[in-house]
Amino acid sequence: MATHLSAADTRPRHKRVLPGLSLSLGTSLLFISLILLLPMTGLIMQSVDMGWDRYWQVISDERVVASYKVTLWAALLASIFNGFFGLLLAWVLVRYEFPGRRILDALVDLPFALPTAVAGITLATLYAQNGWYGDILESLGLKVAYTPWGIVLAMAFTSIPFVVRTVQPVLEELSPEEEEAGMTLGASDWSVFRRVIFPALWPALMTGIALSFTRSLGEFGAVIFIAGNMPYVSEITSLMIFVSLQEFDFAAASAIASVVLMASLVLLFAINLWQARYLRRLHGRS
Amino acid sequence: MKSKPRFLKSIIGTLLLSGAVQASAADQTILNTSYDIARELFAAYNPTFEQHWLDKTGKTIEIKQSHSGSSKQANAIMNGLSADVVTFNQVTDVQVLHDKGKMIPGDWKEQFPNASSPYYSTIAFLVRKGNPKNIQNWGDLAAQDVALVFPNPKTSGNGRYTFLAAQGYAQKTFGKNNEAQVDDFLGTFLKNVSVFDTGGRGATTTFVERGIGDVLITFESEVNNIRNQYGADNYEVVVPKTSILAEFPVAVVEKNVKKNGTEDVSREYLSYLYSEASQRLLAGFNYRVHNDVVKKEFADTFPEVDLLTVENIAGGWPQATKDIFTNGGKLDRLQRR
């Protein structure tokens, strides 16, 4: 019987665990302001006194533009890669029982826990000409370390948990009844996946990919150790920011940083809007 | 049963005691802010100075060390790190403490001998055993099939010295007015770089651990240290006939020592670097020194080099930064493909 009573029926509708909306909302807003908005404003303010001409000159510098291209392409490839393998990994973790599943599940978070510089050095060691993987890949004519591929690799490594961790809960919540209904109606496994499972997963997957993408845009530690950092070929935008800081040119650094910030914000907003619309359509509430 | 509480008590007692001892360990404390690869050097120097200060004044002193990239350190000091002295590997990083931070006097270079640079070094090459590409001088580095490793001049003082040294060599070879040919040489030189690490130690790792490149270009001190550390049999040191004078400037951070009341000891800490004993210690770490006695002792370690100065090559650091290393400068132009 208990299964028929959903949580909403048994609990008083507006039971408050935290005291008052105004207080909890106020606290949340205060901390968002202190931790997120204020530093961002500080970032913008640093570039304010440089004037539009100089701002434009800094962010449209040939070398900086080359770094945007490298960063964008690498982040795109890395997040697409993560889209496939993150989904696969989440699927395996949710749908199968096997010895060591818990350990594998915990390992997924490793890139988050690991200092990214350590990740970068480790990847560089493995993929360098004389490293374990690098040796094999070299004999196949593939060079990863110290080429743009190294950047893709480092970005994929540091951001794959985003995809797994956004897809996993949705996959867990997916009710088996819908799949069973599809099966009984004679649908093949593939068409059940394509028509039943995937549409429900799609928004979470897109969010995961977008998060992975934005994280990759800003990645620094892991990338610089394996990128080779050749001007116009394998320099990432974060390195350009770092270079400006080394020259004590804080205005230029924050100008370039503001471009990355804008790109990330626009992308995140776009994904959120799209997701809201998609979900409305999916649940037929348009 | 009885032993357990006693055991605990003794631990607590020891902890309290050591805490008390630590609190009263030194009459004064100063903080030396330094560049990355000087950690071992100052770890060796500090005890000798502590003894020297005790002998001289009867007071004890504790010296704390902080190491990181020297530009990063300069930033930290301007943002409030209460460093008493700086021992850097780049003149510009000290200068910025005056220009932007207003924390040291404009004449800081005159406060200690040799332009406030108690030791110096130059840029040298590390090649693999047998020197397979037969590299003897800067000219050999622009050959067609030579792969170079040195840190990015944009992010590393080490890399800036390397670039300027190469430019100095080219100016000497082709004539200072022959700018086209000098730039041509520098362009080829830059094209031969296989990895641009952000700092000196990163470049060392790339060359030694990852086995990339034919030549590692870095400070002579670092080159010798690597050879000592990774086996003299695997690498050879090449000191080119022409290279650059790399100064390691020091300064007392006036604004902080006045506040900390550590003016005297900080000044002494830096001047003691010029004493014969300290100069010998520095030479032991493969840095070149000014003291004549020590110079003679170590004559075998440091071959004669024609040392060009940054003033000679590029008209001083501010000029070099403006002409070469800044955004859109000569370095950017040469690297454009």
Side-chain angles (χ1 to χ4, degrees), chain B residues 95 98 104-112 116 254:
Chain B
Q95 189 63 38
H98 166 76
I104 59 171
D107 66 343
W108 65 271
K109 273 191 171 177
E110 275 94 66
Q111 310 237 326
F112 295 96
S116 289
E254 299 287 345

Side-chain angles (χ1 to χ4, degrees), chain B residues 278-289:
Chain B
S278 306
Q279 297 266 297
R280 193 165 290 122
L281 181 102
L282 290 162
F285 277 87
N286 297 308
Y287 289 109
R288 294 181 181 233
V289 292

Side-chain angles (χ1 to χ4, degrees), chain A residues 4-13:
Chain A
H4 288 276
L5 290 169
S6 71
D9 299 327
T10 52
R11 263 189 238 141
R13 230 159 204 279

